[in-house]
Amino acid sequence: MSKGLGLQDNGFAPADAGHEGLGIAGPVRLFLFALAAVVIAETIGNVTIPLGSNKIVLLPLLWALLCGAALGLAAPRMPGVLKMSVSEQRLASAFLQPTLLIFIAKLGLLVGGSVPKILSAGWSLVFQEFGHFFGTMVFGLPVALLLGIKREAIGATFSVGREPSLAIIGERFGMDSPEGRGVLAEYITGTVFGAVFIAILASFIASLNIFNPLALAMGAGVGSGSMMAAASGAIAAQQTPEMAKDVATFAAASNLITTTIGTYFTLFLSLPFTLWAYSKLEPILGRSRKAAIPADAAPVEAPHAEMKLSVLAIITGWVLIGAYGLIGNAITYKTPVDGNVVAGMAIILGVVMAGYGLYGVTGRRLPAVVWVSAIGMALTYPGGPVAVDVAALTGKINFLALATPILAFAGLSIAKDVPTFRRLGWRIVVVSLMANAGTFLGAALIAQFFMHPPV
């Protein structure tokens, strides 16, 4: 065991030989880079870009992601002290998932107090999930076939291509198959561009004022924590403060449903339906088109196994990310860091630790986000003995301030995937982005249809 932040031995370097270890300096530098990205992003603040009568709002979380990505991409040309290694980029990726739980805890605390309002959404919250799981194919598959992409389109459009989707395609077809190349292309595209793309798309769609903001919020719950944070933040930025809280609440509820049932839905419904749709559409849209990806194309490099973090490293990460969130909360939302704000953050971190503990002792049968969300909701459920006090303390911390440091880590982890991304070709990238747009718009359309009268 190393003496660093408590990472296990295989947490300091990739399992494949030849990469440098991290020691204590690597984690310290990584968190300093993240802090710099947060401060720069929150100082820039919200930037509105007019598009005729509409607009796009670029949030600090997006600037944090771009700052982190720029630092990683510039690493080869930076002086030694500022040069990020691939191992440090992989470490940033390893910290991303546990630190996302802080954002999830905050949303769970918001959801608890709004359970009656969520229930009033009725069938819209139930049926919008079909948009998440079929929208990727409906929007992405026809475009793929028109661009000459063959069976790679199946892997790229049956889901948003997160880790469970890699496992499903790998078991069914193998990762060296065309379907495997497709799902890896979706995974890499989502990793590199997903949060940026969905934030800009959600901001533009929200500015059109043709959707109920809560329908868009449900569309934001795509099953990826970073993408959900980016999309819901972009939507919330164009709403009143009260509606912004509702947007976060409904996005969290939708994301929880997507995360909980997503693997089973994609395995038993989305993938079979995409295979059937491919068999019907390919003779019409793609049969006469030359394959854009040769059958003997070199396989896309699979993502490295994630580094393993010790409990001490994870807790240290939670505390530091919480502190960064308070810094952003003070800079952008003008909330001084006083005793009440620190107490609110302590409650959020307590929810995270309790939920993660239950995740471990129950054999990891349910995702950690389920446990964290459930505890947060229980604490603020109307009528609970501590609901009012907990809501008052945690309410002083804006949920977007917690998203900024998390997106900074996402940005810091991007550069390691760029070499693989360059090999994908523009056609499969377009298809992957269409799939990401499809899951958001498909769910929003269905939610809007069932949202009568509006919530």
Side-chain angles (χ1 to χ4, degrees):
M1 182 75 71
S2 173
K3 303 297 185 183
L5 276 177
L7 288 87
Q8 298 171 3
D9 289 339
N10 62 351
F12 279 92
D16 50 311
H19 286 269
E20 70 275 25
L22 288 171
I24 184 62
V28 171
R29 279 158 32 91
L30 176 65
F31 276 88
L32 288 175
F33 289 148
L35 175 59
V38 168
V39 172
I40 292 171
E42 297 289 6
T43 301
I44 295 173
N46 295 348
V47 175
T48 300
I49 301 176
L51 295 175
S53 60
N54 305 306
K55 61 183 176 181
I56 294 174
V57 180
L58 304 181
L59 303 172
L61 60 86
L62 189 56
W63 301 126
L65 188 149
L66 294 175
C67 284
L71 183 59
L73 292 172
R77 294 172 293 279
M78 299 291 278
V81 70
L82 295 177
K83 184 177 293 187
M84 280 190 70
S85 68
V86 173
S87 293
E88 287 170 332
Q89 293 164 15
R90 291 186 58 207
L91 182 61
S93 180
F95 271 112
L96 181 59
Q97 195 60 35
T99 53
L100 268 169
L101 294 178
I102 297 177
F103 184 70
I104 296 299
K106 169 61 180 177
L107 294 184
L109 291 160
L110 283 175
V111 170
S114 301
V115 168
K117 186 175 291 186
I118 291 173
L119 294 177
S120 72
W123 292 110
S124 60
L125 189 58
V126 175
F127 284 112
Q128 58 88 29
E129 284 302 315
F130 287 89
H132 280 310
F133 294 115
F134 290 119
T136 53
M137 185 281 299
V138 171
F139 280 73
L141 185 59
V143 173
L145 295 175
L146 289 171
L147 290 175
I149 296 173
K150 301 301 181 180
R151 294 192 66 86
E152 287 85 359
I154 295 170
T157 65
F158 88 105
S159 76
V160 291
R162 295 297 86 198
E163 286 80 359
S165 300
L166 296 179
I168 290 170
I169 291 294
E171 182 177 346
R172 177 75 179 270
F173 300 101
M175 295 311 294
D176 290 333
S177 65
E179 294 83 357
R181 289 196 294 270
V183 75
L184 279 171
E186 168 65 14
Y187 180 91
I188 299 297
T189 302
T191 299
V192 176
F193 281 137
V196 175
F197 174 75
I198 204 73
I200 294 174
L201 175 66
S203 182
F204 176 70
I205 297 298
S207 74
L208 298 177
N209 295 317
I210 58 177
F211 283 95
N212 186 310
L214 300 187
L216 292 178
M218 286 184 261
V222 300
S224 164
S226 57
M227 290 175 67
M228 185 266 286
S232 61
I235 298 162
Q238 301 187 41
Q239 314 303 323
T240 64
E242 187 59 35
M243 179 56 75
K245 292 181 181 179
D246 289 343
V247 165
T249 297
F250 277 78
S254 172
N255 202 66
L256 181 59
I257 295 172
T258 306
T259 301
T260 305
I261 69 173
T263 301
Y264 305 102
F265 209 113
T266 51
L267 177 61
F268 295 115
L269 292 177
S270 301
L271 181 56
F273 185 74
T274 304
L275 289 167
W276 174 83
Y278 180 86
S279 70
K280 299 299 181 183
L281 293 177
E282 198 277 335
I284 301 171
L285 300 178
R287 184 58 56 86
S288 62
R289 298 179 184 275
K290 181 180 178 181
I293 303 176
D296 59 351
V300 178
E301 182 181 352
H304 291 288
E306 189 174 279
M307 287 184 175
K308 302 298 182 182
L309 303 177
S310 73
V311 174
L312 177 59
I314 292 172
I315 292 175
T316 303
W318 285 334
V319 173
L320 289 174
I321 292 296
Y324 294 178
L326 294 185
I327 292 172
N329 202 49
I331 294 174
T332 300
Y333 302 102
K334 313 303 180 186
T335 305
V337 182
D338 58 19
N340 287 333
V341 171
V342 172
M345 180 56 71
I347 292 172
I348 293 173
L349 294 179
V351 170
V352 171
M353 293 178 190
Y356 197 79
L358 284 173
Y359 167 64
V361 300
T362 55
R364 306 190 174 197
R365 292 182 179 88
L366 289 174
V369 296
V370 174
W371 293 110
V372 172
S373 297
I375 293 173
M377 291 165 61
L379 286 176
T380 55
Y381 186 80
V386 296
V388 174
D389 292 334
V390 169
L393 290 171
T394 58
K396 295 180 179 295
I397 302 170
N398 191 290
F399 76 100
L400 291 177
L402 298 180
T404 302
I406 292 166
L407 269 293
F409 274 88
L412 290 166
S413 72
I414 282 175
K416 67 181 177 13
D417 296 307
V418 169
T420 302
F421 176 76
R422 287 173 177 159
R423 297 171 55 193
L424 297 177
W426 67 268
R427 291 177 178 85
I428 196 71
V429 173
V430 169
V431 170
S432 297
L433 294 178
M434 286 298 297
N436 289 335
T439 191
F440 169 67
L441 292 173
L445 284 167
I446 293 177
Q448 181 79 10
F449 177 80
F450 283 96
M451 197 170 285
H452 293 294
V455 177

